Amino acid sequence: MTVARSLGRAEIEEILPHRDPFLLIDEVTELVPGQRVAARRKVTDDDCAGHFPGNPIMPGVKMVEALAQCGAVAVLSQPENRGKLALFAGIDDVRFKRIVRPGDVLDLVCEVEAVRGPVGKGKVRASVGSELAVRGTLTFAVGSG
């Protein structure tokens, strides 16, 4: 099943257990369960609060978390994983390429590469317009929580 229309916050919350202030994706623009998710996040002042006063920059860890949530949508949208949790099991080869600030729109993509039992890996990237902001590989484990 590929989503032909976008998923808004309410529909994302039906898949993910995350809630404000830690739900870091605003809209899913493409969903192929178990394979691929594309999503968006409009970066806010709150995303950058305290990092750094007078020079707000979205922390890299929040960008990685937003990408992980994309991967979680990919695996938790599969019927056999509904109601479960997707947890970090590894973060590899992450590189930050661009500063992200309030007002920027992050285009987030996760491509699930391999799944063995409850453990999987996904290639992730986030861009602002045509500029790459971050890329890497995330490993996840699906569990009952």
Side-chain angles (χ1 to χ4, degrees):
M1 150 184 122
T2 300
V3 170
R5 63 179 181 82
S6 66
L7 301 179
R9 292 288 285 226
E11 294 153 308
I12 293 166
E13 287 179 358
E14 289 176 14
I15 299 168
L16 294 182
H18 303 77
R19 297 296 181 264
D20 280 332
F22 215 70
L23 180 56
L24 297 175
I25 55 178
D26 299 325
E27 172 187 27
V28 171
T29 57
E30 181 184 344
L31 169 60
V32 181
Q35 296 178 33
R36 176 182 163 82
V37 167
R40 285 198 184 103
R41 172 67 176 189
K42 183 168 184 188
V43 179
T44 66
D45 288 325
D46 287 342
D47 291 325
C48 307
H51 191 263
F52 299 93
N55 186 21
I57 296 172
M58 186 175 191
V61 294
K62 282 191 171 181
M63 289 187 275
V64 172
E65 175 62 25
L67 288 162
Q69 290 178 19
C70 288
V73 169
V75 297
L76 298 180
S77 63
Q78 296 177 277
E80 64 270 23
N81 291 329
R82 284 289 180 146
K84 294 182 179 180
L85 291 177
L87 302 169
F88 265 131
I91 302 171
D92 299 297
D93 303 319
V94 171
R95 297 291 179 264
F96 299 96
K97 303 291 190 177
R98 178 192 194 283
I99 289 174
V100 176
R101 299 189 181 279
D104 287 343
V105 175
L106 270 179
D107 291 311
L108 308 152
V109 176
C110 177
E111 310 247 2
V112 177
E113 290 193 314
V115 178
R116 286 202 173 100
V119 178
K121 283 190 179 242
K123 288 280 189 191
V124 296
R125 68 183 181 280
S127 303
V128 175
S130 62
E131 294 181 49
L132 181 65
V134 61
R135 63 149 176 89
T137 302
L138 304 180
T139 304
F140 59 87
V142 176
S144 57

